[in-house]
Amino acid sequence: MKIIKARDYQEMSRRAANVISAQVIMKPNCVLGLATGSTPIGTYAELVERYQKGDLDFSGITTVNLDEYKGLTRDNDQSYYYFMNEHLFSKVNIDPKRTFLPDGTEPDSAKACEEYNRVIDSVGGVDLQLLGLGHNGHIGFNEPSDIFKARTHCVDLTETTVEANKRFFASIDEVPRQAYTMGIQTIMQAKKILIVVSGKDKAAIVKEAFFGAITPKVQASVLQLHSDVTLVADEAALSEII
Ligand code: GLP
């Protein structure tokens, strides 16, 4: 694993945007795996700025997102579709027809997951997968478990995740209890992985996930087995390891 240490959130965002920009420049028709959460917001803002300056062209890019809340419509401002649209898709020249997320409005979980697996297969695999890191070590919405789930599945969110994500909702009762997420095998099949982490509150899980045992109890620990992972984190997030 390559570790890039940034001074602060802003530098982390710039460094992460450098990795994504390099990918887009070197392979203008690449498939980007994208993530939500508060951590990548600055990275997306950097990419938008570079696009506006004329330095990046997204016209040939395809994107597949990691996850989506089950039950939220696309126009719900807490849906991940809405998030992606607000932070990236509507601000760059990406073809909306080539941006994919699991369909949160599909009530039949088996159908929603099967359909998303079909999408992932049809785009031909992910060139660069961007990831955030949950406080419990989740990636996408792959929550701590006794197993690693291979492909897209419906997850019951843990109480700690519901608690962590309630800051985005009017009240905790509005936080969806289930989500559709890409599985660990799909994430591990990405050619390159970029993981962004910021803040002191993530320092302990960074140490556990990347320097501890490889276990489905800490789903991100599986990334230790991937041959091309770049961790871009600020000093606070790296404070327990460097
Ligand atoms: C969310 C998302 C993850 C994200 C994580 C961390 O629940 N499903 O993809 O990486 O939690 O979020 P944040 O960056 O806000 O800490």
Side-chain angles (χ1 to χ4, degrees), residues 52-230:
Q52 286 166 344
K53 280 189 194 148
D55 293 335
L56 278 183
D57 175 12
F58 289 86
S59 62
I61 299 298
T62 298
T63 65
V64 281
N65 260 78
L66 284 168
D67 46 15
E68 179 58 283
Y69 285 116
K70 182 176 174 180
L72 297 193
T73 53
R74 288 184 152 200
D75 60 356
N76 184 309
D77 63 5
Q78 292 310 326
S79 75
Y80 285 164
Y81 175 85
Y82 192 99
F83 174 104
M84 288 311 303
N85 215 36
E86 172 164 307
H87 293 290
L88 187 69
F89 298 158
S90 67
K91 297 189 167 151
V92 298
N93 64 337
I94 198 160
D95 178 354
K97 289 196 294 299
R98 285 213 297 272
T99 61
F100 300 99
L101 289 92
D103 181 3
T105 65
E106 173 55 69
D108 180 339
S109 301
K111 203 165 155 196
C113 296
E114 210 173 287
E115 172 56 20
Y116 203 53
N117 285 336
R118 202 192 54 71
V119 166
I120 293 164
D121 292 342
S122 75
V123 301
V126 175
D127 289 294
L128 174 65
Q129 177 66 56
L130 174 64
L131 297 173
L133 180 66
H135 287 98
N136 61 8
H138 74 211
I139 44 178
F141 266 135
N142 290 279
E143 294 281 44
S145 167
D146 294 333
I147 53 165
F148 291 111
K149 288 224 173 122
R151 305 217 66 198
T152 310
H153 53 283
C154 179
V155 207
D156 294 325
L157 301 178
T158 63
E159 272 316 305
T160 57
T161 297
V162 171
E163 189 62 32
N165 288 351
K166 74 171 188 211
R167 63 202 150 122
F168 302 113
F169 292 83
S171 79
I172 193 161
D173 296 333
E174 286 180 31
V175 188
R177 295 313 205 248
Q178 288 188 309
Y180 296 132
T181 185
M182 211 184 248
I184 293 295
Q185 183 186 67
T186 307
I187 293 172
M188 289 295 282
Q189 279 171 343
K191 292 193 186 102
K192 292 176 194 290
I193 290 181
L194 169 64
I195 178 155
V196 286
V197 193
S198 168
K200 182 95 188 121
D201 55 316
K202 296 270 177 82
I205 194 65
V206 165
K207 184 177 180 191
E208 205 181 336
F210 305 126
F211 294 87
I214 297 169
T215 163
K217 303 271 181 230
V218 182
Q219 295 268 320
S221 64
V222 75
L223 299 174
Q224 293 180 45
L225 300 174
H226 193 284
S227 61
D228 193 345
V229 178
T230 304

